[in-house]
């Protein structure tokens, strides 16, 4: 049988994902993070693991290049792809939050929001019926209110330390986020047995046997 | 000038050849099963589509304005035009009506289909038949078609549009919550369902069922049995019974090994009313076909009648066949004739006609160089001088004396046969 391909988000989530797989009894190579290698074939487990940019995980899975993916809910909300989202892996916990300077300057009539998540931000404010101007940034979102580029930011907040150090406060927590296991909709049907086994194994690590 | 449009593409000869082979196979099967092909217009009225909920989002249709200011769309799907056709031109014809099609559909945003804005669909529609046998016929026809074009291990995932509605009714889910729950169930998003159920008021029995649904799919009879154990109403069990008898029939046809059942198979096309199914190939992660029953669709044209059909996604099918190399297309034998004396053009032409009749692709061209021969993948060259030289692409060569075209062609064909 062919190998199952799993796309993992590069970076700090990847280490936790690999750890999780090991806890679930999968024998993954020790040296996965020692080199810049992006693709690992684990013949004994019939697995192939690829490391891709977080935002690309849903794309690889939707197109079926990867059968499964591990990625943060923030990315899933932003990418909004047609996938099965089957398991909350419960690590990488953080929140989507609106934040800005302690003296809130924005008003309903005129609000500029800087974010790395323009699509989610658009949908969020549209659902509220609030008109906003969205400014897409690629990093250091905290700078936007400090420099006057935007009044508000919509970003992921883990401990709130970065915000605090930059003199910003959370206005509103939007929703909880964590790492998720996603599955290609067709693979789920055509390779049900192998994928179900994997889901069950990971589920047992995360939620305990039941 | 940027002449490139994203999401559309040219189809070049090599691919077209593959396509035509597939088209031919598909057309033969459809016609042999009495589904006669029709071609409906590329342009349809926006109103035809805009009024139907859940079909194609208005924003995803290509719109065109005609000289009267009327808004038209490039047809985003092929089922609607055929429903319109059946209800208008064939209003008084005896039922059932059987149509097939092979055309392009246009959508501005197209996930799950290689991101193409123009995609080719081949399908059938059976209008005016409500029986279990007609559902069965559709599934079998789809399986046979997939197998015939080269999908060795097809898989048909079956669901039923009424199932989720009946389950919602059983669980007393209020209208406002159905949209979100439907979306979460379609995504098998157990976490999302759990979170959502914490926000709304649902009794614990219902909670238990809703949380069990995402993991319920697979082997038909196993899933049916599991659903039967749940405290669901008689109406729901009736739907299950219908599906059960469909699966029994498929078993009788020895086709159950190709079938899976997903109670939460929810189609993007909101018009399906009963059976829903999707076609896959094991080892390929894209959709190859989808179909189902749409008993209410023709109502939009003033004629309410049952109907069922399916469409094959040709681009995905080609992608699959290329990946698995399940193509068996005979390489064409291409022959290039050239002559030295102007007066030999007619002789060359006579030979070329004879060769075409014998099944070769023949052209006359005197200036062919190596680059041309390679690019055109010419297999044989015929050089007409004071004699006739025949050259093969593997270095073979033969020489004939000039004589009458009839005699020459005999010699040439004999030699070519020898080389093959």
């Amino acid at each position: 049988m062919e190998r199952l391909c799993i796309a993992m988000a590069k970076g700090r989530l990847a280490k936790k994902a690999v750890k999780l797989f090991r806890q679930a009894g999968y024998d993954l190579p020790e040296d996965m993070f020692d080199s810049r290698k992006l693709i690992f074939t684990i013949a004994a487990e019939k697995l192939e693991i690829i490391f891709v940019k977080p935002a690309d995980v849903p794309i690889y899975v939707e197109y079926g290049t990867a059968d499964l993916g591990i990625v943060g809910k923030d990315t899933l909300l932003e990418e909004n792809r047609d996938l099965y989202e089957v398991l909350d892996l419960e690590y990488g916990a953080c929140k989507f939050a609106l934040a800005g300077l302690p003296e809130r300057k924005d008003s309903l009539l005129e609000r500029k929001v800087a974010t790395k998540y323009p699509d989610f931000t658009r949908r969020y404010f549209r659902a509220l019926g609030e008109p906003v101007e969205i400014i897409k940034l690629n990093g250091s979102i905290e700078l936007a209110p400090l420099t006057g580029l935007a009044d508000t930011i919509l970003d992921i907040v883990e401990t709130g330390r970065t915000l605090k150090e930059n003199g910003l406060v959370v206005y509103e927590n939007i929703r909880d986020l964590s790492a998720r296991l996603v599955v290609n909709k067709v693979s789920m049907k055509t390779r049900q047995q192998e994928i179900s086994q994997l889901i069950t194994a990971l589920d047992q690590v995360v939620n305990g046997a039941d | 000038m940027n002449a490139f449009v994203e999401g559309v593409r040219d189809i070049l000869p090599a691919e077209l050849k593959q396509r035509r082979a597939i088209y031919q196979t598909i057309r033969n099967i459809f016609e042999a099963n009495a589904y006669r092909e029709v071609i409906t217009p590329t342009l349809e009225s926006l109103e035809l589509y805009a009024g139907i909920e859940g079909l194609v989002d208005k924003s995803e249709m290509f719109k065109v304005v005609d000289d009267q200011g009327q808004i038209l769309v490039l047809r985003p799907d092929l089922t609607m035009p055929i429903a319109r056709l059946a209800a208008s031109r064939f209003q008084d014809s005896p039922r059932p009506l059987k149509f097939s099609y092979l055309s392009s559909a246009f959508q501005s945003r197209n996930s799950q289909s290689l991101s193409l804005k123009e995609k080719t669909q081949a399908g059938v529609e059976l209008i005016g038949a409500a029986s279990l046998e007609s559902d069965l016929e559709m599934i079998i026809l789809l399986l046979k078609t997939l197998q015939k074009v080269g999908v060795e291990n097809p898989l048909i995932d079956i669901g039923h549009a009424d199932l989720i509605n009946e389950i919602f009714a059983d669980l007393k889910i209020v209208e406002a919550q159905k949209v979100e729950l439907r979306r979460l169930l379609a995504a098998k998003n157990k976490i999302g369902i759990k979170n959502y159920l914490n926000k709304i008021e649902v009794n614990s029995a219902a909670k238990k069922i809703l949380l069990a649904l995402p993991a319920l799919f697979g082997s038909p009879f196993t899933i049916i049995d599991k659903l039967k154990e749940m405290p669901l109403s008689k109406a729901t069990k009736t739907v299950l019974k219908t599906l059960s008898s469909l699966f029994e029939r498929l078993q009788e046809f020895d086709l159950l090994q190709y079938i899976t059942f997903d109670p939460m198979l929810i189609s993007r096309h909101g018009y399906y009313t009963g059976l829903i199914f999707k076609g896959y190939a094991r080892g390929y992660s894209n959709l190859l076909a989808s179909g189902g029953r749409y008993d209410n669709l023709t109502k939009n044209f003033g004629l309410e009648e049952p109907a069922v059909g399916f469409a094959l996604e040709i681009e995905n099918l080609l992608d699959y066949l290329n990946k698995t190399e399940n193509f068996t297309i005979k390489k064409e034998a291409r022959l290039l004739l050239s002559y030295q004396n102007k007066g030999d053009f007619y002789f060359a032409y006579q030979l070329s006609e004879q060769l075409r009749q014998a099944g070769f692709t023949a052209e006359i061209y005197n200036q062919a160089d190596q680059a041309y021969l390679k690019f055109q993948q010419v297999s044989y060259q015929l050089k007409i001088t004071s004699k006739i030289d025949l050259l093969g692409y593997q270095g073979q060569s033969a020489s004939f004396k000039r004589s009458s075209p009839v005699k020459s062609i005999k010699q040439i064909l004999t030699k070519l046969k020898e080389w093959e």
Side-chain angles (χ1 to χ4, degrees), chain A residues 1-2 61-67 73 79-90 175 178-181 184-192 196 203 207, chain B residues 109-112 114-115 155 157 183 185-192 194-195 214-215 217-219 223 260 262 264-266 268 280-287:
Chain A
M1 198 66 191
E2 244 189 277
V61 178
E62 189 189 32
Y63 276 75
T65 309
D67 302 292
K73 181 70 181 172
E79 288 290 321
N80 202 21
R81 298 267 166 176
D82 196 17
L83 306 165
Y84 287 140
E85 183 183 328
V86 293
L87 206 57
D88 185 349
L89 302 175
E90 293 178 5
R175 61 159 300 152
S178 56
R180 304 293 161 94
L181 179 69
N184 172 278
K185 283 193 146 181
V186 178
S187 299
M188 186 82 142
K189 303 295 170 60
T190 56
R191 312 186 66 172
Q192 189 191 351
S196 296
D203 193 13
N207 298 316
Chain B
R109 207 192 91 112
N110 214 335
S111 62
Q112 271 294 321
L114 307 173
S115 298
L155 190 76
D157 197 23
R183 191 184 67 77
L185 285 165
K188 304 211 180 299
N189 188 342
K190 198 175 162 184
I191 323 136
K194 204 189 263 173
N195 292 339
F217 61 94
S219 167
I223 303 301
T260 55
D262 182 356
M264 292 299 112
L265 187 72
I266 296 161
R268 221 165 82 86
Y280 309 122
R282 282 180 222 269
Y284 181 69
S285 299
N286 260 309
L287 186 71

Side-chain angles (χ1 to χ4, degrees), chain B residues 35-315:
Chain B
Y35 290 86
R36 288 186 297 166
E37 187 169 346
V38 289
I39 298 179
T40 60
T42 308
L43 291 172
E44 291 275 359
S45 133
L46 174 66
E47 283 155 50
L48 176 69
Y49 287 97
I52 291 144
E53 208 167 315
L55 175 62
V56 182
D57 199 81
K58 228 174 164 178
S59 64
E60 292 176 15
M61 290 189 256
F62 279 102
K63 287 142 214 125
V64 182
V65 182
D66 73 2
D67 56 357
Q68 321 260 314
Q70 199 191 173
I71 303 174
L72 308 174
V73 291
L74 299 185
R75 56 166 180 246
D77 117 301
L78 276 319
T79 298
M80 282 295 297
I82 288 180
R84 171 186 55 71
L85 190 69
S88 52
R89 311 263 315 248
F90 293 91
Q91 194 176 2
D92 302 318
S93 313
R95 286 341 192 215
L97 290 169
K98 295 183 177 186
F99 292 119
S100 65
Y101 56 83
L102 203 165
S103 308
S104 303
F106 304 85
Q107 280 176 39
S108 63
R109 207 192 91 112
N110 214 335
S111 62
Q112 271 294 321
S113 182
L114 307 173
S115 298
L116 284 176
K117 288 173 179 162
E118 177 179 5
K119 51 178 190 169
T120 318
Q121 293 191 329
V124 297
E125 310 292 350
L126 172 54
I127 296 160
S131 62
L132 182 74
E133 283 71 22
S134 53
D135 286 350
L136 189 68
E137 182 188 335
M138 279 301 119
I139 292 166
I140 296 173
L141 186 58
L142 175 58
L143 265 174
K144 295 288 161 199
T145 313
L146 286 171
Q147 284 174 325
K148 206 84 180 217
V149 293
V151 180
E152 273 166 12
N153 242 322
L155 190 76
I156 312 272
D157 197 23
I158 292 178
H160 198 292
D162 291 347
L163 212 44
I164 186 154
N165 296 329
E166 293 297 350
I167 290 175
F168 279 167
D170 292 352
L171 305 184
K172 311 220 163 25
I173 305 290
V174 299
E175 203 58 45
Q177 294 157 358
K178 282 183 186 170
V179 178
E180 181 66 3
L181 269 178
R182 191 184 282 270
R183 191 184 67 77
L184 291 165
L185 285 165
K188 304 211 180 299
N189 188 342
K190 198 175 162 184
I191 323 136
I193 296 169
K194 204 189 263 173
N195 292 339
Y196 189 69
L197 291 179
N198 286 335
K199 281 189 238 165
I200 62 172
E201 260 178 63
V202 192
N203 67 48
S204 62
K207 260 184 195 171
K208 211 175 144 199
I209 293 174
L210 287 168
L211 284 170
L213 286 173
L216 271 188
F217 61 94
S219 167
F221 289 118
T222 317
I223 303 301
I224 292 252
D225 287 345
K226 280 187 185 159
L227 282 168
K228 274 187 188 156
E229 284 166 15
M230 292 181 170
L232 296 168
S233 70
K234 217 171 158 189
T236 310
K237 298 219 159 125
T238 312
V239 180
L240 289 177
K241 220 174 198 170
T242 314
L243 283 166
S244 235
S245 30
L246 181 72
F247 296 141
E248 275 159 26
R249 300 296 290 277
L250 284 161
Q251 194 165 33
E252 184 189 318
F253 279 81
D254 202 20
L255 295 173
L256 205 64
Q257 77 255 37
Y258 301 115
I259 307 293
T260 55
F261 171 39
D262 182 356
M264 292 299 112
L265 187 72
I266 296 161
S267 175
R268 221 165 82 86
H269 289 305
Y271 55 65
Y272 288 125
T273 52
L275 179 76
I276 303 174
F277 54 93
K278 301 208 179 216
Y280 309 122
R282 282 180 222 269
Y284 181 69
S285 299
N286 260 309
L287 186 71
L288 294 183
S290 58
R293 180 163 281 289
Y294 50 97
D295 291 349
N296 292 326
L297 191 58
T298 55
K299 181 177 72 185
N300 294 292
F301 312 106
L303 194 68
E304 200 171 340
E305 58 182 338
V308 62
F310 68 76
L312 293 152
E313 304 286 343
I314 299 292
E315 278 75 22

Side-chain angles (χ1 to χ4, degrees), chain A residues 112-153:
Chain A
K112 283 185 189 167
V113 184
T115 182
K116 262 195 284 188
Y117 304 91
D119 206 60
F120 174 76
T121 306
R122 190 167 298 118
R123 275 182 281 131
Y124 175 72
F125 283 105
R126 192 176 288 168
L128 293 177
E130 291 178 22
V132 290
E133 183 182 334
I134 295 162
I135 301 171
K136 191 200 175 220
L137 292 178
N138 295 298
S140 305
I141 311 295
E142 298 79 14
L143 264 178
L146 299 175
T147 54
L149 178 66
D151 332 294
T152 313
I153 60 172

Side-chain angles (χ1 to χ4, degrees), chain B residues 308-353:
Chain B
V308 62
F310 68 76
L312 293 152
E313 304 286 343
I314 299 292
E315 278 75 22
N316 288 358
L317 201 54
L318 271 159
D319 184 45
Y320 165 79
L321 292 172
N322 277 321
K323 276 186 180 146
T324 52
E325 290 166 1
N326 272 357
F327 262 123
T328 44
I329 291 176
K330 230 178 89 188
K331 195 176 172 294
E332 66 173 357
R334 189 165 169 139
L335 210 141
L336 187 129
L337 297 95
S338 59
Y339 55 91
Q340 210 166 40
N341 302 320
K342 272 190 179 160
D344 279 337
F345 186 25
Y346 183 61
F347 180 66
Y349 176 75
Q350 280 176 305
L351 287 188
S352 72
E353 275 294 277

